[in-house]
Amino acid sequence: MSTIAAFYGGKSILITGATGFLGKVLMEKLFRTSPDLKVIYILVRPKAGQTLQQRVFQILDSKLFEKVKEVCPNVHEKIRAIYADLNQNDFAISKEDMQELLSCTNIIFHCAATVRFDDTLRHAVQLNVTATRQLLLMASQMPKLEAFIHISTAYSNCNLKHIDEVIYPCPVEPKKIIDSLEWLDDAIIDEITPKLIRDWPNIYTYTKALGEMVVQQESRNLSIAIIRPSIVGATWQEPFPGWVDNINGPNGIIIATGKGFLRAIKATPMAVADVIPVDTVVNLMLAVGWYTAVHRPKSTLVYHITSGNMNPCNWHKMGVQVLATFEKIPFERPFRRPNANFTSNSFTSQYWNAVSHRAPAIIYDCYLRLTGRKPRMTKLMNRLLRTVSMLEYFINRSWEWSTYNTEMLMSELSPEDQRVFNFDVRQLNWLEYIENYVLGVKKYLLKEDMAGIPEAKQRLKRLRNIHYLFNTALFLIAWRLLIARSQMARNVWFFIVSFCYKFLSYFRASSTLKV
Ligand SMILES: CCCCCCCCCCCCCCCCCCCCCC(=O)SCCNC(=O)CCNC(=O)[C@H](O)C(C)(C)COP(=O)(O)OP(=O)(O)OC[C@H]1O[C@@H](n2cnc3c(N)ncnc32)[C@H](O)[C@@H]1OP(=O)(O)O
Ligand SMILES: NC(=O)C1=CN([C@@H]2O[C@H](COP(=O)(O)OP(=O)(O)OC[C@H]3O[C@@H](n4cnc5c(N)ncnc54)[C@H](OP(=O)(O)O)[C@@H]3O)[C@@H](O)[C@H]2O)C=CC1
């Protein structure tokens, strides 16, 4: 019997961000391995016209929870969705709900955050810093609380090259920032933001660093741990390979490449692609929850869950395997044939953007206009290129993350726990993982049917022929124009034609002799 699974039995667990990518996988694993847990409280806000209950039902009815329903048929009764908005004071939680949370919660997993790179400083601080402080304040009033697990990111200190499992101080105190945002107006905040975030690449990573500082400062007597995952990718093994449900990180890039929109990316091919499967992160989270509650370490421990130092893969290897998978399992109705390359040179990157991205978009929009339809490709392409430019920082650098605490924890687990809550990324076979990842993007994100693959392959063949035809026509036109203008081109042309003629004559003569 797994010690960790048994630990969560009978427990009341509070999860923030349960409707997000990581949160859903966390809930799934908890219900599957500890179906006798008491309750999972989730802080949810209504969204996209859906009530809290509708959101919960949608999650439980998804494919991700199929196995859970077999193991824990009364799963609906064990989830308690609490109305909450982390942007509001006291999270806008009702008095009764707050009372229940304060008196019953045993473990907290704090996953909620804004992960957008282009969020405003005000909103990102509110969610990633102030809300964390508020939750810690709530936690300090929970008599039964055994552990508080805060999810940060391995990139919270990406302004450093080597990152240890420690909390680094930020140049400005989080409290000062929180206070000043209360009276500064938005225009001034926009102006001072670049000065505040200094060498952090975006507001997201900066506010996650501030969030960690808040955790350290407000930890009081709580048993707290911080987990820092790198780029969280599709599931590796559990509950099944390849599950993914948002377009963040590599997912959007895989879609854009598979649909033939994205043909070149400015990236350092040999830089480490530090992707970590979401189920691996969740396994570590649950192991850390158990360890923190049972062993109560004296200080806040930080755990890195990254792949680069244990089982590195680089962007080149990942890109090649992604493209190879598109050959086997193409996406439906691509704009162009999927074929992309990495370029580390700014000039060639600009060139590809003009020739391979903007020009085809403009041509396609002209075609839409001519056929009486609304042009949309240029707008879409600009948005895609903006997204890619925001990710560039992370695909052109490598970092070293030390993993002493994570390895220490692995050695503390029983063989059974190491199996059930496996976070040993050395066992990951990248080629297999990437293939399942692309397949998962097709099935769970794009919702494409596998029965459509033969037709998609046919379409790829057609696109390939169109591509060759187009290139040949382009070459002939360019050549014809050149011949008209340059004596040298004419000489080369006559030389090639006479050479071919002589070769053919010789070939014909020698075959006549043989006969
Ligand atoms: C050989 C070559 C081969 C090549 C082959 C390729 C191989 C693979 C290579 C891979 C290299 C990858 C590198 C990754 C590096 C990641 C580093 C992360 C490091 C940090 C990790 C972290 O610590 S933390 C998580 C990371 N944090 C993000 O990664 C958020 C980023 N991103 C944004 O900050 C916003 O994305 C940004 C950008 C502002 C745009 O913003 P934006 O507004 O332009 O676009 P959006 O993304 O918001 O959405 C656009 C539209 O998609 C709709 N949509 C959303 N979800 C949907 C869903 N599930 N299904 C359907 N549709 C959905 C949405 O509803 C919008 O539709 P509509 O406009 O109609 O409403
Ligand atoms: N994905 C990744 O690559 C990585 C993620 N992380 C960290 O992991 C954690 C989870 O990330 P991930 O699951 O990918 O992110 P998602 O964007 O998928 O999920 C974010 C969650 O936070 C919730 N949330 C946001 N704003 C509010 C609010 N005002 N009130 C209540 N809930 C809110 C969202 O709820 P709603 O559904 O209502 O929007 C959602 O459940 C984050 O802390 C992130 O920093 C770290 C490294 C990498």
Side-chain angles (χ1 to χ4, degrees):
M1 170 71 179
S2 152
T3 315
I4 298 177
F7 164 78
Y8 288 102
K11 293 276 192 289
S12 301
I13 299 154
L14 168 61
I15 301 179
T16 70
T19 50
F21 179 44
L22 199 62
K24 284 180 208 159
V25 181
L26 173 65
M27 275 202 295
E28 193 279 339
K29 176 88 184 199
L30 266 169
F31 280 126
R32 189 158 43 83
T33 50
S34 308
D36 55 339
L37 62 79
K38 192 168 173 200
V39 61
I40 296 186
Y41 296 112
I42 59 174
L43 302 190
V44 196
R45 52 182 176 168
K47 202 178 176 187
Q50 284 186 309
T51 63
L52 263 56
Q53 277 64 32
Q54 283 167 333
R55 293 194 75 185
V56 173
F57 269 100
Q58 195 181 30
I59 293 173
L60 294 182
D61 279 348
S62 69
K63 179 153 173 61
L64 183 72
F65 278 77
E66 269 176 10
K67 282 190 185 163
V68 164
K69 281 192 219 139
E70 288 165 21
V71 186
C72 182
N74 59 341
V75 57
H76 288 91
E77 294 157 22
K78 294 209 173 203
I79 288 196
R80 175 110 151 72
I82 290 185
Y83 176 92
D85 184 347
L86 271 63
N87 283 325
Q88 314 251 342
N89 269 348
D90 286 335
F91 300 158
I93 298 176
S94 74
K95 260 196 186 135
E96 302 76 56
D97 287 343
M98 184 63 95
Q99 205 44 53
E100 186 176 343
L101 285 178
L102 293 184
S103 56
C104 301
T105 306
N106 300 117
I107 316 279
I108 298 178
F109 289 101
H110 179 34
C111 305
T114 169
V115 301
R116 288 187 73 89
F117 293 165
D118 65 343
D119 217 335
T120 61
L121 186 68
R122 188 188 294 288
H123 185 244
V125 166
Q126 171 59 43
L127 210 56
N128 297 350
V129 191
T130 314
T132 302
R133 192 163 79 159
Q134 175 93 40
L135 193 64
L136 284 159
L137 190 73
M138 271 172 67
S140 69
Q141 298 163 45
M142 294 175 174
K144 292 187 185 161
L145 191 75
E146 296 170 47
F148 181 112
I149 312 302
H150 174 74
I151 312 305
S152 185
T153 163
Y155 297 94
S156 56
N157 301 289
C158 59
N159 50 333
L160 305 175
K161 183 117 189 55
H162 177 91
I163 302 158
D164 280 317
E165 287 165 306
V166 296
I167 301 169
Y168 292 91
C170 289
V172 184
E173 276 288 305
K175 193 170 173 336
K176 280 193 185 152
I177 295 187
I178 295 171
D179 290 346
S180 51
L181 289 182
E182 266 171 30
W183 59 269
L184 286 175
D185 72 35
D186 289 345
I188 298 177
I189 294 174
D190 286 347
E191 214 165 287
I192 62 168
T193 298
K195 292 190 184 86
L196 275 176
I197 71 172
R198 294 186 190 196
D199 48 355
W200 273 269
N202 53 43
I203 287 174
Y204 166 69
T205 48
Y206 175 68
T207 52
K208 289 299 276 189
L210 290 177
E212 289 186 7
M213 263 192 90
V214 160
V215 170
Q216 189 180 43
Q217 290 170 348
E218 310 279 329
S219 59
R220 298 183 183 91
N221 292 326
L222 300 169
S223 288
I224 304 189
I226 294 179
I227 295 181
R228 290 186 185 144
S230 48
I231 302 167
V232 183
T235 51
W236 167 22
Q237 290 166 319
E238 289 180 82
F240 48 85
W243 185 81
V244 64
D245 91 328
N246 68 24
I247 60 160
N248 286 341
N251 313 350
I253 303 289
I254 292 174
I255 294 177
T257 313
K259 292 281 184 186
F261 295 114
L262 195 63
R263 313 271 294 183
I265 308 172
K266 186 164 180 287
T268 305
M270 290 305 143
V272 176
D274 212 303
V275 174
I276 188 84
V278 61
D279 44 339
T280 312
V281 179
V282 160
N283 285 345
L284 176 81
M285 284 165 72
L286 292 173
V288 168
W290 160 79
Y291 185 82
T292 311
V294 171
H295 293 270
R296 305 185 72 82
K298 285 196 190 73
S299 60
T300 299
L301 291 187
V302 178
Y303 299 84
H304 285 158
I305 180 79
T306 55
S307 56
N309 60 340
M310 294 204 189
N311 182 3
C313 176
N314 58 45
W315 292 114
H316 171 76
K317 182 173 170 181
M318 188 165 283
V320 168
Q321 181 64 0
V322 168
L323 292 179
T325 310
F326 291 147
E327 288 286 321
K328 274 207 272 181
I329 315 157
F331 291 171
E332 285 170 16
R333 283 172 281 110
F335 174 59
R336 292 176 71 192
R337 193 168 62 90
N339 183 20
N341 62 50
F342 290 125
T343 164
S344 47
N345 179 298
S346 294
F347 178 75
T348 36
S349 163
Q350 297 287 338
Y351 169 80
W352 286 121
N353 275 349
V355 172
S356 258
H357 296 140
R358 293 214 160 86
I362 293 170
I363 293 172
Y364 189 71
D365 273 352
C366 286
Y367 163 72
L368 287 180
R369 263 203 195 97
L370 288 173
T371 50
R373 283 174 283 175
K374 203 172 161 231
R376 57 191 154 85
M377 195 51 75
T378 311
K379 199 169 157 205
L380 198 143
M381 193 57 84
N382 287 339
R383 200 162 159 184
L384 174 63
L385 295 182
R386 179 173 160 264
T387 297
V388 174
S389 73
M390 284 195 197
L391 300 180
E392 266 171 17
Y393 178 92
F394 301 94
I395 44 184
N396 281 287
R397 288 170 177 74
S398 297
W399 287 265
E400 283 166 23
W401 287 279
S402 63
T403 49
Y404 297 114
N405 289 341
T406 306
E407 286 173 61
M408 172 281 292
L409 181 58
M410 213 182 289
S411 66
E412 289 281 322
L413 302 191
S414 67
E416 176 66 355
D417 280 334
Q418 285 181 355
R419 190 184 62 77
V420 181
F421 295 92
N422 179 18
F423 51 89
D424 186 353
V425 77
R426 281 170 295 201
Q427 298 161 15
L428 181 85
N429 175 334
W430 280 107
L431 297 186
E432 202 178 282
Y433 174 69
I434 296 164
E435 185 169 319
N436 286 330
Y437 196 146
V438 175
L439 191 61
V441 167
K442 180 178 170 69
K443 284 206 290 201
Y444 310 116
L445 254 182
L446 295 172
K447 312 247 185 292
E448 290 183 5
D449 198 338
M450 299 304 276
I453 288 181
E455 200 189 315
K457 282 192 174 165
Q458 279 301 324
R459 192 180 161 104
L460 278 193
K461 257 192 206 149
R462 264 203 313 278
L463 285 174
R464 187 172 289 138
N465 293 342
I466 293 173
H467 176 78
Y468 289 147
L469 257 170
F470 183 78
N471 280 1
T472 314
L474 209 66
F475 174 77
L476 289 177
I477 292 169
W479 187 237
R480 184 69 195 83
L481 289 176
L482 203 68
I483 282 181
R485 271 152 223 250
S486 148
Q487 183 59 44
M488 171 109 111
R490 270 196 295 275
N491 291 345
V492 173
W493 180 240
F494 287 130
F495 172 75
I496 295 172
V497 171
S498 61
F499 179 79
C500 291
Y501 179 73
K502 277 182 190 152
F503 180 77
L504 278 175
S505 314
Y506 169 77
F507 186 71
R508 216 180 289 148
S510 61
S511 55
T512 323
L513 276 180
K514 265 184 213 158
V515 172

